[in-house]
Amino acid sequence: MADPIAEVAKKHPAPEGIVYAYGTAGFRTKAEVLDSVMARCGLIAALRSRALGGKSIGVMITASHNPPEDNGVKLVEPLGNMLAEEWEVLSTEMANKATPEDVSAFYREIAERFNIKLSTPAHVVIGRDTRASGARLLSCVLDGVKAAGAEPKDYGFLTTPQLHYMVRCLNTQDTSDAYGTPTEPGYYEKFSEAFKRALGGKKISGSLTVDCANGVGGPKLTELVKYLPPKDQGLEIFVVNDNVIKPESLNVECGADFVKTNQRAPPSSKSGPNDRCCSLDGDADRLVYYFKDSNNMFHLLDGDRIATLVASFLGDLVRHSGLSDILKLGVVQTAYANGAATNYVEQNLKLTVDCTPTGVKHLHHAAAKLDIGVYFEANGHGTVIFSAATLEAIAKHEPRSPAQKESLDVLKACIDLINQSVGDALSDMLLVEVVLAHKNWGPQEWLATYNDLPNRLLKVVVSDRNQFKTTDAERKLVKPDGIQKQIDAEVQKVRQGRSFARASGTEDAVRVYAEAATRAEADDLARKVAEIVKAAGSA
């Protein structure tokens, strides 16, 4: 009898000479070499679903902010969170099996290792972004899912956060903590309704121009707008860079990564002085704000700024609701967070800051340990997590005055407005607009909360990135020997200096970050640390 697992591996053979790795964002590389990986991820998703008693597992086909010719895939756990680390390792092993027979043998080995009954029903939920390669790669995933005898549910085009939302809704729909309706209209209804409640009658001043990176966020935002209050009562949104008809324009001179990296607005931006603007990335899970002042100077309001804005607002709501005695709020950052942002949270907001290694899964994990955990990477990817005990305390809390009730109602609405399964650019955007409306702030007032320290990020190409080992949430190098001492010596020479070097998660390079009191000092420090890294990398 034919072996369906070996057959599907034979149908989608692995190219020779390529080693795949499940990184912080799943598998991601040139789309033309991903067919075998996609089919095998279909197999892994089916096994993971069975290991969890038939719960729905998500598969998202996307390469986010990468160029149009790339693609990728990541698996999503039942509550919309990242794949368990142990299964990332299994996925990497599966992707690198040489022959169809090896694939089949490993599939059965996993089943045996985790006592998985292969007769258990399995459910796999799939979404994809708008890349030209998406349809072909979807068919490879479906081949893998069907070969494993699992039931696929293809949602077609979705933002990455929408796929995470669908997975969480499907797995909680028959429980007391049902997350929402697992349909696209269900997504728009949940977040638009929460947005209206969170505004609490406050007026939003001015309009918002949203650059959608010519990705899937464009059509989805256009759909979401239909559910929001009319612009004269709510938010007037101008959608730009939403051309999904030309997949080759995805992320080209637009999108969150372009704005963050180049520190300038997309060339297509037609906004005027002090107009609020924001950019999504290609799969709409990152968000950065920015504006040009009356002197045409560009100002970026990145993930650090969003984190401080949201933490300040939620902290006020907790206090004004009469909950500050029982709930503690904290902020989670990575080493890339600007030192001025960290200082503002600790000194002005009087909140704790945790620092984790780079990668959303690390931030999410740390935030989940707090009552209310606000986490954002500087690149604009982030969300807020409320613990189960916190949600219970908020639900039970009896306000003692009309003012407390008002704050409590807004806090409850914000909980519904925030996509707690994953960073969601559309949900985060609505949250930022709510905060600005309540504070009666424009972008200038937001920018004025603190002054960013000038910083520089450089990339040093090395022959082997694995020789660079870090500790202290990637802020210190322990290998090669002696290198941290040299970096520390350079840092001491500049005012408010800070610098670190860490191996890239995706290429043979080391990223060097430096900040200091002035632009010249930050640039000089980055250059000197890059030279130290280069010398160590070629030694």
Side-chain angles (χ1 to χ4, degrees), residues 278-291:
C278 67
S279 287
L280 322 178
D281 63 342
D283 65 338
D285 65 356
R286 287 189 193 182
L287 174 77
V288 295
Y289 269 70
Y290 48 94
F291 70 102

Side-chain angles (χ1 to χ4, degrees), residues 220-237:
K220 302 310 181 190
L221 174 56
T222 302
E223 198 57 34
L224 173 63
V225 168
K226 295 174 188 172
Y227 290 78
L228 297 176
K231 61 187 179 191
D232 55 338
Q233 296 167 29
L235 174 61
E236 185 174 17
I237 291 177

Side-chain angles (χ1 to χ4, degrees), residues 155-189:
Y155 274 98
F157 296 114
L158 288 179
T159 69
T160 291
Q162 284 179 327
L163 186 271
H164 285 250
Y165 165 88
M166 299 303 173
V167 173
R168 187 164 180 152
C169 290
L170 286 165
N171 287 308
T172 58
Q173 60 187 343
D174 299 323
T175 68
S176 57
D177 52 356
Y179 195 63
T181 309
T183 62
E184 251 194 88
Y187 171 92
Y188 302 127
E189 282 160 7

Side-chain angles (χ1 to χ4, degrees), residues 316-317 319-322 399-410:
D316 287 348
L317 289 178
R319 209 166 36 255
H320 298 152
S321 303
R400 294 192 177 156
S401 68
Q404 277 197 2
K405 184 185 183 313
E406 195 179 313
S407 291
L408 188 65
D409 287 345
V410 173

Side-chain angles (χ1 to χ4, degrees), residues 40-60:
R40 294 174 190 201
C41 278
L43 299 176
I44 290 283
L47 283 169
R48 183 65 178 147
S49 173
R50 289 191 173 113
L52 296 171
K55 283 190 159 60
S56 293
I57 293 295
V59 175
M60 184 66 200

Side-chain angles (χ1 to χ4, degrees), residues 88-233:
E88 290 182 3
V89 175
L90 296 174
S91 300
T92 298
E93 269 191 72
M94 180 63 97
N96 291 303
K97 291 296 175 192
T99 68
E101 292 70 30
D102 292 343
V103 169
S104 181
F106 190 55
Y107 176 83
R108 288 170 214 299
E109 185 190 316
I110 294 171
E112 206 169 302
R113 198 189 306 176
F114 293 92
N115 296 318
I116 298 168
K117 282 199 172 69
L118 293 176
S119 57
T120 304
H123 301 90
V124 179
V125 183
I126 310 158
R128 61 184 167 110
D129 70 13
T130 53
R131 290 163 192 271
S133 56
R136 186 189 86 245
L137 298 180
L138 167 67
S139 69
C140 301
V141 172
L142 288 170
D143 283 349
V145 171
K146 288 170 185 169
E151 185 189 316
K153 185 174 178 61
D154 173 22
Y155 274 98
F157 296 114
L158 288 179
T159 69
T160 291
Q162 284 179 327
L163 186 271
H164 285 250
Y165 165 88
M166 299 303 173
V167 173
R168 187 164 180 152
C169 290
L170 286 165
N171 287 308
T172 58
Q173 60 187 343
D174 299 323
T175 68
S176 57
D177 52 356
Y179 195 63
T181 309
T183 62
E184 251 194 88
Y187 171 92
Y188 302 127
E189 282 160 7
K190 173 173 174 145
F191 292 110
S192 61
E193 193 270 332
F195 174 66
K196 291 170 206 168
R197 281 193 292 122
L199 272 177
K202 294 282 187 291
K203 295 294 283 181
I204 292 176
S205 63
S207 61
L208 177 65
T209 299
V210 188
D211 152 35
C212 296
N214 293 319
V216 68
K220 302 310 181 190
L221 174 56
T222 302
E223 198 57 34
L224 173 63
V225 168
K226 295 174 188 172
Y227 290 78
L228 297 176
K231 61 187 179 191
D232 55 338
Q233 296 167 29

Side-chain angles (χ1 to χ4, degrees), residues 14-20 33 95-98:
E16 278 182 35
I18 295 181
V19 178
Y20 299 100
V33 295
N96 291 303
K97 291 296 175 192

